[in-house]
Amino acid sequence: MWSILAIAILTGASPGSRADAARPGGASRAAVAHKGAVASAYPLASQAGQEILSQGGNAFDAAVAVAAALAVVEPTSSGLGGGGFFLLHRQTDGFETMIDAREKAPGAASRDMYLDKAGNEIPNASTNGPLSAAIPGEPAAFEYLARKYGKLPLKQSLQPAIRLAREGFPLYARLQFGIKAKRDILVRSLDAAKVFLTADGNVPEIGTVIKQPELANTLDAIANQGAKGFYEGPVAANLVAGVRAGGGIWTLEDLKNYRVVERKPLVGEYHGARIVTAPPPSSGGIALLDSLNILAGFDFHDVDSATRKHFIIEAMRRAYRDRAIFLGDPDFIKMPLQQLMSVDYAAGQRSSIRADKAMPSELLPGIESEPKGMNTTHFSVLDAAGNRAAVTITVNLFFGNGYMPAGTGVLLNNEMDDFSTKPGRPNVFGLIGNTANSIAPNKRSLSSMSPTFVETPKGMMVIGSPGGSTIISQVLLGTLNYVDGMNAADIVKYPHYHHQYLPDDVTYEPGALTDSEIAELTAMGHKLRLSNRQWGNMQVITWDFATGKVEAASDPRGEGEGLVY
Ligand code: DON
């Protein structure tokens, strides 16, 4: 099932890029990417991006096209009923921004809404059914991106998705796997069952054409009226009626008031590489920069591979701890971001790391977890002018909460579970949080999604991945590997290991640790746990400024495709 490594490589020197490469910092500013590239989790979505680039769209138009196409062909992972982060780089002036389209808690949400009178958690309330859904952000991001940063009309960028929804596409293995996993939930929602199950409620066969006429109509409404086509009028009325009929608390006002927020990306430095990454309400950027700052003080050249991995694991442990304690929605809480990103703070953290011994997490103050798979999606885009988009979007779990309000074609997210629904309660990814991430009306839940750009004097990389709590450690490993000179194809297939502070163990994929590393790390006191499955679905684009070579690589764990043209 985990078959295709799609990588396309095109080489050719781009005029001026050598001189640009010599310029320190912002090396690529004046350079022109030789070719455009798209890497996403499914070929039809990569092709949608390519189609829009070839019609004269820029990377931001293509981002709309890919995200919308993924909403149709990869509904397990993201969609109009979800949200995410769009990290953008404009090449002409080096301007960088992040469109925060994270879902917001409904206005009637309250801190203890998933607890019973005795203060106990109500099973599955924050994951199944409309009560678990936050107000979606993705449709608002489409209009915003197209209007403010795109070159083409929104209507044009949405066309490939509308076509895919109306004409259908053949069911593929991973989507079928998602349907099987969520069948018992999907069957409870008439509209969802109509799209994803057979007439008698079973899982359709591979190759069955999945058509989504109602989703096509909703996309059409957005194409014709912009965000209003979703957040107001008949679609909004159907969404609210459906949510409330299923026990949810959305109102028309909640939808009408939803706005994306533009946030300044976090910028850090690691061994001469400039790292541009997602600010809160993502926890990813802070944890990534914190880890890199800790690691920058170790000399990896003089240590063996087990010690190197030990240092990386210890950095993960400390960064994930800070995530649990300090982070949440910046519009609601104050966070010591400058401190967490500072090299002095990292030096303090580094000083507590011994070269020969794991530090038990209980000596730091924690969490319990099982890394999850691929129910979020990331894609990377680079256009021929050098503009970039790193986009991670989600509905949280497979098919979100599995509920589709009648007449909308829209599957709802269950992003409310990313809040700390009860102090100390681990969410589905085992992540705990404290009051910084407690539920409040209109608040955004803390995310791990970490769309990131890495730029060195030699080249740049656009990177990101799904995988719940493991997103951050994947992007960390990818960044370290890129700075070490690894190519895109090797970065996406690199075997993962992961530590998230609590539970205090290192989960690793088959092949991530050699026998001797396992022996050495165990002797240092690490608790190692071989995962019975892989995680992540990384999509990477790299561009070498000197040669002009552009590579787009899609994780072989998935079925995606990287296209360069
Ligand atoms: O925003 C977050 O961190 C989560 N909702 C992401 C969920 C995810 O990656 C699921 N995939 N495996």
Side-chain angles (χ1 to χ4, degrees), residues 159-295:
Q159 279 320 303
I162 294 171
R163 197 175 61 228
L164 286 164
R166 231 180 263 298
E167 293 173 7
F169 65 94
L171 180 63
Y172 56 93
R174 192 160 53 87
L175 181 52
Q176 189 197 45
F177 176 83
I179 295 175
K180 267 187 203 148
K182 207 82 183 218
R183 185 207 155 270
D184 294 350
I185 305 286
L186 293 171
V187 82
R188 292 187 214 159
S189 170
L190 264 183
D191 279 50
K194 208 163 60 189
V195 174
F196 298 112
L197 300 175
T198 60
D200 53 2
N202 287 317
V203 178
E205 283 176 13
I206 301 282
T208 306
V209 175
I210 306 287
K211 290 190 184 177
Q212 301 174 78
E214 278 163 344
L215 179 58
N217 292 342
T218 298
L219 282 163
D220 253 339
I222 300 170
N224 292 321
Q225 300 159 51
K228 279 195 174 147
F230 182 90
Y231 293 94
E232 296 178 39
V235 172
N238 282 337
L239 287 168
V240 169
V243 163
R244 297 188 81 90
I249 54 174
W250 288 15
T251 63
L252 288 171
E253 284 298 293
D254 287 335
L255 285 171
K256 197 172 166 196
N257 291 335
Y258 183 88
R259 297 284 179 279
V260 297
V261 183
E262 254 193 84
R263 303 194 192 271
K264 213 165 134 25
L266 302 178
V267 180
E269 199 257 333
Y270 173 77
H271 286 308
R274 182 170 178 271
I275 319 290
V276 181
T277 186
S282 170
S283 59
I286 288 286
L288 176 66
L289 296 181
D290 191 4
S291 305
L292 291 170
N293 282 339
I294 294 173
L295 292 171

Side-chain angles (χ1 to χ4, degrees), residues 284-478:
I286 288 286
L288 176 66
L289 296 181
D290 191 4
S291 305
L292 291 170
N293 282 339
I294 294 173
L295 292 171
F298 290 118
D299 186 354
F300 285 154
H301 298 294
D302 290 340
V303 297
D304 61 27
S305 68
T307 306
R308 178 189 160 106
K309 287 181 175 166
H310 163 69
F311 285 150
I312 295 172
I313 291 162
E314 290 299 322
M316 289 175 183
R317 183 199 306 281
R318 284 157 181 78
Y320 274 91
R321 169 181 175 263
D322 289 346
R323 173 200 199 281
I325 294 174
F326 296 113
L327 302 184
D329 182 347
D331 296 341
F332 281 73
I333 57 157
K334 286 213 175 326
M335 292 171 277
L337 299 186
Q338 290 313 323
Q339 176 194 338
L340 295 175
M341 285 165 55
S342 84
V343 289
D344 292 339
Y345 180 72
Q349 309 235 67
R350 195 183 311 118
S351 68
S352 69
I353 299 177
R354 284 178 53 169
D356 59 345
K357 198 159 181 273
M359 172 185 263
S361 286
E362 63 191 21
L363 292 185
L364 305 166
I367 321 177
E368 182 48 33
S369 156
E370 178 72 20
K372 300 283 172 182
M374 303 186 177
N375 357 316
T376 288
T377 199
H378 173 86
F379 63 89
S380 298
V381 186
L382 170 72
D383 69 20
N387 299 309
R388 303 151 210 178
V391 180
T392 316
I393 43 181
T394 188
V395 284
N396 199 21
L397 305 183
F398 266 145
F399 294 103
N401 68 33
Y403 187 85
M404 190 183 276
T408 65
V410 175
L411 281 162
L412 302 180
N413 70 80
N414 47 11
E415 226 68 64
M416 293 297 284
D417 191 66
D418 278 348
F419 280 113
S420 172
T421 53
K422 182 181 174 180
R425 179 202 82 107
N427 73 1
V428 286
F429 303 106
L431 294 166
I432 57 160
N434 68 5
T435 48
N437 189 33
S438 61
I439 304 176
N442 304 313
K443 190 173 174 185
R444 288 166 155 91
S445 53
L446 185 63
S447 172
S448 300
M449 295 187 288
S450 316
T452 296
F453 304 136
V454 180
E455 189 167 326
T456 72
K458 291 187 178 153
M460 70 94 227
M461 168 173 75
V462 184
I463 184 173
S465 189
S469 57
T470 70
I471 294 173
I472 303 169
S473 57
Q474 291 178 57
V475 173
L476 172 64
L477 294 174

Side-chain angles (χ1 to χ4, degrees), residues 65-133:
V66 177
L70 287 167
V72 179
V73 300
E74 203 201 20
T76 42
S77 305
S78 73
L80 300 184
F85 302 130
F86 295 71
L87 184 68
L88 313 179
H89 169 99
R90 189 169 58 203
Q91 186 69 351
T92 45
D93 55 0
F95 173 74
E96 282 159 340
T97 190
M98 188 183 87
I99 312 300
D100 170 0
R102 181 71 164 169
E103 302 93 320
K104 291 175 75 164
S110 57
R111 195 192 64 186
D112 297 335
M113 63 187 277
Y114 299 113
L115 305 181
D116 63 18
K117 286 205 172 66
N120 298 318
E121 196 188 329
I122 305 166
N124 303 323
S126 64
T127 48
N128 287 347
L131 191 61
S132 64

Side-chain angles (χ1 to χ4, degrees), residues 303-313 355 497 513-522 524 526:
V303 297
D304 61 27
S305 68
T307 306
R308 178 189 160 106
K309 287 181 175 166
H310 163 69
F311 285 150
I312 295 172
I313 291 162
Y497 51 95
L513 303 175
T514 63
D515 289 347
S516 70
E517 287 169 350
I518 290 171
E520 276 189 62
L521 289 167
T522 306
M524 289 178 193
H526 288 287

